[in-house]
Amino acid sequence: TCDTSHRGPETRGHVILSSGSLGCCGRLLFGISLIFPVFLFPIAIFVCVKIVKEYERAVIFRLGRIADKKPKGPGIFFVLPCTDTFVKVDLRTVSFDIPPQEILTKDSVTVSVDGVVYFRVYCPISAVANVSNAHSSTRLLAQTTLRNVLGTKNLAELLSDREGISHNMQESLDEATDPWGIKVERVEIKDVKLPHQLQRAMAAEAEASREARAKVIATEGEMNASRALKEASLVIAGSPSGLQLRYLQTLTTIAAEKNSTIIFPLPMDMVSHFMQRK
């Protein structure tokens, strides 16, 4: 049987295919094909003995019917001449790129999105008997699934929730490819390309938002500074010597900077007195 350990009990029945009866003519041809290896034993070894690698399985068709419910391999297996043919199936994980798709989002924005899909064949019999080309069909289905999933998302959701979108795509693809014996292991969104006009509009919006926040922060800073100056003036007003000490401290700071100009503040009462005399 196929490897269905990752599937639930409700999805295991379709992967087992019935070979049916060969019929009278089929049994006759099968018996004749058994005679050739006996009489042509040395030569028949090169025709009947086949080998598949560790990561491959072989599905044998006998007179057009699947000979066994279990694929052959890895290692050596035998086929009968004239009546048996086999198909090799690779069980390794395969990755492919989803070509960029032009998608119209839910809020009527056109974007170009591409991605990558990782999948593997878990049931060689279903991959051979239920679909003509499992790999090509999975690629085409991934493109349509990408369009269907992203068509229900807004632009903001598309840019911020890539992990959730990838998970939804994986579930949809995995459910659709289950009858083909394919397990979709991972789906990733690689890049989201926006139109140049939309990029400029978003950049202008972000710049305006940053400028608005900068103005608000500067205004809040000036407000806090004015409150601090008001509190400082109240403290100095309560102590007449505090203003003189502050003046001396300011002179010390100016002198430390090696400036040749020193400013002496004069009280406003003295200046008004000279202005009255004039």
Side-chain angles (χ1 to χ4, degrees):
T1 56
C2 298
D3 178 16
T4 57
S5 58
H6 65 282
R7 301 294 181 184
E10 69 280 359
T11 61
R12 295 183 182 179
H14 72 275
V15 297
I16 300 177
L17 304 178
S18 176
S19 60
S21 177
L22 294 177
C24 297
C25 295
R27 285 193 294 268
L28 178 61
L29 293 175
F30 177 70
I32 294 173
S33 64
L34 288 174
I35 298 175
F36 285 101
V38 175
F39 288 99
L40 302 175
F41 176 71
I43 302 176
I45 295 177
F46 299 98
V47 179
C48 298
V49 177
K50 303 295 181 181
I51 300 175
V52 290
K53 299 178 182 179
E54 181 68 29
Y55 54 84
E56 294 177 337
R57 297 294 183 272
V59 179
I60 299 177
F61 290 88
R62 181 163 296 154
L63 296 176
R65 298 177 180 272
I66 295 179
D68 196 353
K69 296 179 181 179
K70 183 178 180 181
K72 301 297 182 180
I76 299 175
F77 65 97
F78 298 91
V79 295
L80 297 176
C82 302
T83 60
D84 290 358
T85 58
F86 70 96
V87 178
K88 287 184 181 180
V89 180
D90 196 332
L91 302 183
R92 293 177 294 181
T93 299
V94 180
S95 63
F96 66 89
D97 292 329
I98 302 177
Q101 304 293 312
E102 295 290 337
I103 298 170
L104 184 65
T105 61
K106 188 176 180 180
D107 50 353
S108 302
V109 178
T110 303
V111 295
S112 178
V113 184
D114 58 354
V116 59
V117 178
Y118 298 86
F119 71 95
R120 63 179 175 86
V121 177
Y122 76 91
C123 183
I125 294 178
S126 297
V128 173
N130 292 354
V131 62
S132 60
N133 191 328
H135 288 202
S136 177
S137 300
T138 304
R139 288 183 173 89
L140 295 176
L141 184 61
Q143 297 179 20
T144 57
T145 303
L146 180 65
R147 290 175 176 269
N148 294 336
V149 172
L150 296 184
T152 60
K153 303 293 183 179
N154 296 326
L155 180 61
E157 296 175 348
L158 178 60
L159 297 177
S160 61
D161 190 21
R162 293 192 181 186
E163 184 176 354
I165 294 174
S166 299
H167 184 68
N168 293 339
M169 282 192 58
Q170 179 185 353
E171 290 182 347
S172 300
L173 278 175
D174 195 21
E175 182 179 357
T177 57
D178 184 39
W180 304 341
I182 290 178
K183 168 64 178 175
V184 178
E185 296 180 340
R186 191 176 183 86
V187 178
E188 293 291 341
I189 302 298
K190 292 175 59 179
D191 191 16
V192 179
K193 297 181 179 179
L194 302 177
H196 295 291
Q197 295 180 353
L198 181 59
Q199 292 181 11
R200 290 194 295 267
M202 294 178 66
E205 181 181 0
E207 184 178 358
S209 178
R210 287 194 298 268
E211 291 180 355
R213 288 196 301 268
K215 291 180 179 179
V216 171
I217 293 173
T219 304
E220 291 179 353
E222 293 178 357
M223 184 182 299
N224 294 333
S226 62
R227 290 175 180 174
L229 290 174
K230 179 181 179 182
E231 294 176 359
S233 63
L234 294 176
V235 173
I236 294 176
S239 176
S241 61
L243 180 61
Q244 187 67 22
L245 293 175
R246 181 59 182 167
Y247 168 67
L248 295 175
Q249 184 180 4
T250 304
L251 291 180
T252 304
T253 304
I254 295 175
E257 296 178 358
K258 299 181 179 180
N259 293 328
S260 58
T261 303
I262 298 178
I263 301 174
F264 292 93
L266 297 176
M268 293 301 297
D269 297 338
M270 183 181 298
V271 175
S272 61
H273 177 68
F274 283 106
M275 292 178 64
Q276 291 177 0
R277 291 183 59 184
K278 183 177 179 180

